[in-house]
Amino acid sequence: MTSSPPVEGLPRAHWFVVTFVVYVALALVVKSTVLNWIIGPLWLLITLFLVPNLFRRVRRRVVSD
């Protein structure tokens, strides 16, 4: 059985786990419809796309300097 290489730009598994744990903890503290209907989709966009891209940019700057 062969495994395919990781998809470029797709966050690693630990990002999904961390995102899920933080979101569930936040949901336990802030029980609101706003958290479920507005922040929920934005949370995934921010934590699985924007934050990893920001880390990559910062790491490239640090490495290139």
Side-chain angles (χ1 to χ4, degrees):
M1 180 185 260
T2 61
S3 63
S4 59
V7 177
E8 181 67 30
L10 185 67
R12 306 253 184 213
H14 69 274
W15 279 106
F16 290 95
V17 172
V18 169
T19 297
F20 177 73
V21 168
V22 172
Y23 186 76
V24 168
L26 189 62
L28 291 173
V29 173
V30 181
K31 295 177 181 167
S32 155
T33 305
V34 173
L35 181 66
N36 294 330
W37 293 104
I38 297 172
I39 303 300
L42 291 176
W43 182 261
L44 293 175
L45 173 70
I46 291 168
T47 58
L48 296 177
F49 181 73
L50 297 177
V51 172
N53 284 337
L54 179 66
F55 281 160
R56 285 186 204 111
R57 284 184 185 175
V58 169
R59 189 173 20 181
R60 274 190 229 129
R61 281 193 183 162
V62 170
V63 171
S64 66
D65 289 341

